[in-house]
Amino acid sequence: MVYNILDFGAIPDGKTVCTGAIQRAIDECTKTGGRVLVPAGSFLSGSLRLRSEVELYLEHGSRLISSLDERDIIDYFKENSDDNEVDGWEGGCFLFALHEKNIAITGTGVIDGQGRKVFFDDDPEHSEEGSPLAVTGFRPRMSYLEDVENLLVSDVTFLDSAFWTLHLAGCRKVRIENIVIENNKRGPNTDGIDPDCCQEVIIRGCRIVSGDDSIVIKSTTPMYKRYGACRDIIVSDCILSSNCSGIKIGTETYGDIHDVTVSSCILKDCIRGVGIWSRDGGEIYNVFLDHIQGNTRNFCDSRVRNTGVCNWWGEGEPIAITATKREGTTRLPGRVHDIRMSHINITCEAPLLFLGETYAPIDNISITESSFHFTNQSGKTKMVVDERPSERGRYPVKASCKMLRNARNIEIDAKIVVDDSMKSMLDMK
């Protein structure tokens, strides 16, 4: 059955808050199963709770707009008596689901997070260099979907998120296909897709522009306690552009992350290509990456702020694998081992990093049939290694094209080309 939100009183003027009308359509639809239709037009809404057996379908020409009025946004974790602790932002979200089955978000319409209203440029002189924007006001997550089994997200455009875009926690049997995420590349915390302790996830054919990691696979404390390891993840055929990592595993690694495959992806102006970041005790293993190409480069820090998000993590590394203690904790990171990469071809401006510790060595990593072209794309004048968040922090180095510390059984079969613009910053011995 089809439930048109117009029939429940939604007004397509982009100004009237239509939360009640849209939620009534969802609540009726879950009784029979079917489609909630968002027709052409602009619909402003507060928090919506998605239910089992409901397909939220955005017709071509439709725009579902997240309210930025805190009164319209529900923080379900404050209102629910269950143990629903969640790591990260706790200011509520626009699209929410908890303990549901068979949910879909589809169609060629737009879901608009209105991030343009919370970010502002207090450093316009350096805007072309990619410095972080400042933040003002209330900014909810675009979505938070926990413990959803059989989840489909396809074809939709997620526009201008004010915070994380697709946060999936403890979800199983997930397909995310052919979506567009178009966030402000200078907007802090505008992650693309965050599978957190999820299993059996396929992400393919997506185009993502984000100010934080485009796709980040993680294992946070509360989700690991409830749902176990993050595993069986496939990412393919995506185009990723980020002022942080294009593909990241970690930093939150309280539980194991394993059996991850990433293939046939293009990186466009990412500050890191592939980041594997162990900090919290869980192991990362059985990760396979192939046919990844594009470029990584640095972006400048804010010149006017030293609080909040005033600089990006990363310096233009194509591959960065680290295992070290998180700052302020005695907890040991988990092992990182059995990582296989092939046909990685990246233009970059910082070394390949394989940085373990005596208490957490990195082991059994291979990069084969690959090439790395080092050229100065950002005008940087010194080489810095960034291991935040960790005790080591961010520090200057004179490194070669690859930097190893407590890393064993590392095989690198790659063509290395270094332009003159990089030779003064790299140890060429």
Side-chain angles (χ1 to χ4, degrees), residues 4 27 52 63 71 116 142 178 193 196 223 255 277 288 321 343 347 351 361 399:
N4 190 323
D27 293 344
S52 295
R63 182 174 294 246
R71 295 170 297 182
R116 57 197 170 275
M142 186 171 275
N178 306 323
I193 303 173
D196 179 358
M223 296 307 117
W277 238 237
F288 302 88
I321 302 176
H343 299 92
T347 298

Side-chain angles (χ1 to χ4, degrees), residues 156-394:
V156 174
T157 293
F158 293 88
L159 178 69
D160 212 11
S161 181
F163 200 72
W164 294 7
T165 308
L166 275 176
H167 184 181
L168 317 174
C171 295
R172 300 166 306 286
K173 298 181 175 63
V174 176
R175 285 189 294 134
I176 302 174
E177 300 176 329
N178 306 323
I179 71 167
V180 173
I181 295 176
E182 190 77 43
N183 293 337
N184 192 317
K185 201 160 183 284
R186 297 174 60 206
N189 313 115
T190 56
D191 299 38
I193 303 173
D194 295 57
D196 179 358
C197 292
C198 294
Q199 297 95 38
E200 299 180 58
V201 178
I202 297 172
I203 301 169
R204 63 186 175 197
C206 299
R207 179 170 62 82
I208 301 174
V209 176
S210 58
D212 212 323
D213 306 314
S214 289
I215 297 175
V216 51
I217 300 164
K218 60 179 63 182
S219 176
T220 61
T221 307
M223 296 307 117
Y224 177 62
K225 289 177 181 177
R226 290 205 286 277
Y227 305 112
C230 194
R231 58 175 173 81
D232 306 328
I233 313 288
I234 296 174
V235 178
S236 68
D237 305 292
C238 293
I239 300 173
L240 309 172
S241 182
S242 171
N243 275 23
C244 287
S245 297
I247 297 285
K248 189 174 184 182
I249 299 175
T251 305
E252 295 92 334
T253 49
Y254 292 90
D256 291 355
I257 301 174
H258 62 89
D259 294 288
V260 176
T261 297
V262 181
S263 63
S264 301
C265 290
I266 293 175
L267 309 174
K268 297 180 66 176
D269 285 337
C270 295
I271 211 167
R272 285 192 180 113
V274 176
I276 300 178
W277 238 237
S278 177
R279 295 292 182 271
D280 305 308
E283 292 191 21
I284 302 173
Y285 61 94
N286 289 355
V287 178
F288 302 88
L289 301 103
D290 67 271
H291 291 89
I292 311 295
Q293 62 179 306
N295 77 300
T296 57
R297 50 154 297 176
N298 198 16
F299 295 94
C300 81
D301 299 341
S302 171
R303 312 286 188 183
V304 298
R305 276 176 284 116
N306 56 15
T307 58
V309 180
C310 56
N311 51 54
W312 307 111
W313 289 3
E315 299 291 330
E317 306 92 346
I319 308 292
I321 302 176
T322 83
T324 190
K325 287 181 183 177
R326 186 183 288 274
E327 184 179 12
T329 182
T330 59
R331 183 176 52 248
L332 297 181
R335 294 175 59 217
V336 178
H337 60 96
D338 294 294
I339 313 293
R340 300 281 180 266
M341 306 185 196
S342 67
H343 299 92
I344 312 295
N345 301 288
I346 296 177
T347 298
C348 55
E349 59 177 24
L352 289 85
L353 302 182
F354 307 89
L355 304 177
E357 304 287 1
T358 54
Y359 53 78
I362 291 169
D363 189 18
N364 202 16
I365 313 292
S366 70
I367 300 176
T368 59
E369 298 184 80
S370 298
S371 67
F372 300 95
H373 180 187
F374 289 80
T375 186
N376 194 335
Q377 303 161 72
S378 66
K380 66 196 295 183
T381 57
K382 61 182 179 180
M383 192 63 68
V384 174
V385 168
D386 189 352
E387 292 190 70
R388 294 174 296 172
S390 77
E391 296 176 329
R392 292 182 175 273
R394 194 181 191 193

